[in-house]
Amino acid sequence: MSLTSREWHLIARPTGEPAATDFALVVAQVPDPEPGQVLVRNDWMSVDPYMRGRMDDTESYIPPFRLGEPMDGGAVGTVIASRAESMPEGAVVRHFAGWREYAVLPSAAVERVDTELAPPQTYLGVLGSTGLTAYVGLMEIARMKPGDIVFVSGAAGAVGSAAGQIARLLGAERVIGSTGGPEKAARLVESYGFDAAIDYRRGGLPAQLAEAAPHGIDVYFDNVGGDHLQAAIGAMNRYGRIALCGAISQYNAPEPTPGPDNLALAIGKRLTLRGMIIGDHLDMGPLYVRQAAGWLRNGSLRADETVVDGIGNAVEAFQSLMRGGNMGKMLVHLTGR
């Protein structure tokens, strides 16, 4: 089989917001699979905020992208050639070799997904690490209890929209979300079941939060950092718990950003602030998928997606994501080949 594949390379480290000139779309020859390997045609790929950190040359919980080499990330595709008995041709699989049209991988590096349970792209969203992150952040990191008042920032995004819905399903008394713009704020209440929504672009975030949560908040699921974290600390009730999942407000900052200036409140309020990396909690995946699949079937969990077509538009999809141009999960459908 003779195939070529378009793949995205990072060719320059961005300063501030990534520019189109920091990337190159390269055509590469696809090798035939060797024994124990499979050839996957990627059908869907994910772009995620954490990828911005991988564009910097700094060590973190996941290695940075290498300049001049294919980028990677979550993807779902179809096995079109196999030299592994455990993974037949036609199998739909999830793996980490995104940002390209085709990938040759060891069979151990791909995971078969059940497309009768849910559409394949769902395994990059609410049935994948996105949904699991929301679930773990609430249950394991923030130790959410029935009756808690929960505040979620970045609530119209993939993780945030899942976190708000799951908090409600787990018995939260009140769920408040923050997002940018009146349309998104209305969507949180009308489509995702949030009790109240804050449009942070209106300004006055602490006052808006106080109005939405007059009795304070018990749990804060932080996807944004910065002024949202500061407002949440001010609104937390005694013994409140904060799950530090992301800080998207800071990812494009060319210089380190200052932290909340009210952090001392955490002492008197006896707050718990705990960071999380989903890779530390993958053992909770099977339990979560069983539960979430039931929620999807009965309609109590909504899996919204913002879809961009074609590998050639993947960088634009990432840039749009970082500017808040998505509702739910941002995906690239690799159809415009």
Side-chain angles (χ1 to χ4, degrees), residues 73-128:
V76 168
T78 304
V79 176
I80 61 171
S82 175
R83 298 193 65 187
E85 292 183 4
S86 61
M87 199 60 63
E89 293 180 11
V92 179
V93 297
R94 176 172 57 188
H95 58 84
F96 203 66
W99 290 92
R100 69 200 78 184
E101 294 177 296
Y102 295 91
V104 174
L105 295 159
S107 61
V110 301
E111 175 190 6
R112 195 166 186 174
V113 299
D114 184 353
T115 56
E116 293 185 2
L117 188 65
Q121 70 273 21
T122 312
Y123 291 90
L124 297 174
V126 293
L127 288 186

Side-chain angles (χ1 to χ4, degrees), residues 128 182 197 272 281 288 310 323 327:
T272 300
H281 305 278
Y288 167 71
R323 296 170 186 152
M327 283 294 300

Side-chain angles (χ1 to χ4, degrees), residues 44 121 305-310 317 327 329-334:
W44 296 87
Q121 70 273 21
E305 300 161 352
T306 300
V307 177
V308 174
D309 283 322
M327 283 294 300
K329 182 68 179 178
M330 177 68 89
L331 295 166
V332 180
H333 194 194
L334 305 182

Side-chain angles (χ1 to χ4, degrees), residues 228-294:
H228 279 72
L229 179 55
Q230 177 154 327
I233 290 172
M236 294 297 292
N237 292 325
R238 189 174 293 178
Y239 303 111
R241 289 90 64 205
I242 298 176
L244 300 171
C245 176
I248 195 170
S249 67
Q250 303 171 30
Y251 291 163
N252 282 332
E255 300 293 338
T257 55
D261 64 14
N262 63 345
L263 192 57
L265 290 176
I267 301 168
K269 294 186 177 188
R270 289 78 143 179
L271 304 183
T272 300
L273 292 80
R274 183 179 172 190
M276 64 172 291
I277 299 298
I278 193 56
D280 296 339
H281 305 278
L282 297 180
D283 59 309
M284 296 179 67
L287 169 65
Y288 167 71
V289 168
R290 288 194 297 272
Q291 195 163 18

Side-chain angles (χ1 to χ4, degrees), residues 171-194:
E173 176 183 324
R174 186 169 175 81
V175 181
I176 301 132
S178 173
T179 188
E183 292 182 4
K184 285 187 176 182
R187 187 78 170 269
L188 293 184
V189 176
E190 296 167 3
S191 298
Y192 297 140
F194 285 70

